[in-house]
Amino acid sequence: MLIVPIDSVLLMDSGDDHAHLLASHLSVFQINQAVLRWAKNRRELSGEPAMIVFCPVKCETYLSDSGSLQDHAGALRDKVVDQFSDVLKTVRDAAPHAAVRYLPIDTFGCVELVSARWIRAQGSPGGQMLMPKYRVRPPGRIVRKGLDDLLTLLCRQLIDTARAQSERATASRQTAALHSRSYAELREGFFRDLWLNFNGERDRRRHAAATDERLFAMSQQTTQSLFDVLTALAGRESGPRLHHLS
């Protein structure tokens, strides 16, 4: 799972005069290179889950569900898709099986933008930097909307990966248990069977078979537990902020 944080203030309040600096300040090129490496890795491991989440942050000013009087949810999403169109294309080309999600997240939930102005800043792209000024919105209660959905997505990915690994381990242990039990009960002729019973080899084989069967049963329980957790997570309703981009 790859999470791409995006400064929503840069997207929404940079102004037309500084639009040419936006891609540099958002590090779109560097993000695209990182996403390309991730996508190639996910393509090589196409049997594993893969998800990338574009997460605008500092969104309180633009989303009305945080208490803002403005509602620019659609404009924010459109600007993310526009500015990161090359990144989206990279994911679709290099890892077409990857799920792509969009999820804006509040920083505190009780702040809002007062102003955003550009100042000279040596070392910043174009020699300028956007300086936002915020105020705390009464009553000042911290509510980070969107964070629960991000944690749920992360948990689903982790547990889904663990479940897939557990299923493979269970299949392997089932094969080992069947082989061990078959070997433990194998009949090798009257005199050979007497000797195996006499020297304790038959008991050792049966003990090994019983151990492999216990490991198989434990692995089955682990897989079922992970499946139950996934089912519970799937039953949790996502918030209205979460969107599929592909």
Side-chain angles (χ1 to χ4, degrees), residues 176-193:
L178 291 172
H179 174 76
S180 296
R181 179 55 62 188
S182 176
Y183 182 59
E185 305 301 337
L186 180 66
R187 293 294 173 247
E188 302 181 32
F190 179 75
F191 292 106
R192 175 66 176 167
D193 288 344

Side-chain angles (χ1 to χ4, degrees), residues 97-130:
H97 71 292
V100 184
R101 301 290 182 265
Y102 167 84
L103 179 60
I105 297 176
D106 295 342
T107 304
F108 294 105
C110 59
V111 299
E112 63 183 22
L113 184 69
V114 174
S115 64
R117 63 188 184 91
W118 289 88
I119 63 171
R120 294 186 179 277
Q122 189 176 3
S124 293
Q128 298 187 71
M129 180 173 62
L130 185 66

Side-chain angles (χ1 to χ4, degrees), residues 3-9 11-12 53-66 71-78 80 101-109 143-151 153 239-245:
I3 300 172
V4 181
I6 302 164
D7 190 331
S8 62
V9 178
L11 274 177
M12 300 294 287
V53 188
F54 291 86
C55 290
V57 296
K58 311 175 189 175
C59 298
E60 293 92 329
T61 301
Y62 312 109
L63 303 178
S64 60
D65 62 357
S66 290
D71 185 6
H72 298 306
L76 178 60
R77 184 172 63 251
D78 291 344
V80 168
R101 301 290 182 265
Y102 167 84
L103 179 60
I105 297 176
D106 295 342
T107 304
F108 294 105
V143 180
R144 296 183 174 93
K145 291 206 171 188
L147 187 58
D148 285 351
D149 284 328
L150 181 62
L151 291 175
L153 287 175
R241 293 188 176 196
L242 181 63
H243 293 269
H244 296 214
L245 292 184

Side-chain angles (χ1 to χ4, degrees), residues 4-101:
V4 181
I6 302 164
D7 190 331
S8 62
V9 178
L10 268 171
L11 274 177
M12 300 294 287
D13 279 280
S14 58
D16 294 338
D17 292 342
H18 297 85
H20 63 287
L21 297 175
L22 196 52
S24 297
H25 278 264
L26 289 169
S27 303
V28 174
F29 175 79
Q30 292 85 346
I31 289 173
N32 196 34
Q33 295 302 302
V35 168
L36 179 60
R37 290 193 296 271
W38 173 84
K40 287 181 176 178
N41 175 269
R42 292 297 88 196
R43 182 176 60 197
E44 292 172 1
L45 301 171
S46 58
E48 296 183 2
M51 178 180 291
I52 180 169
V53 188
F54 291 86
C55 290
V57 296
K58 311 175 189 175
C59 298
E60 293 92 329
T61 301
Y62 312 109
L63 303 178
S64 60
D65 62 357
S66 290
S68 174
L69 298 178
Q70 308 177 67
D71 185 6
H72 298 306
L76 178 60
R77 184 172 63 251
D78 291 344
K79 284 180 178 289
V80 168
V81 172
D82 179 57
Q83 284 293 325
F84 290 87
S85 58
D86 288 344
V87 181
L88 287 167
K89 185 177 185 302
T90 294
V91 176
R92 289 161 181 157
D93 290 346
H97 71 292
V100 184
R101 301 290 182 265

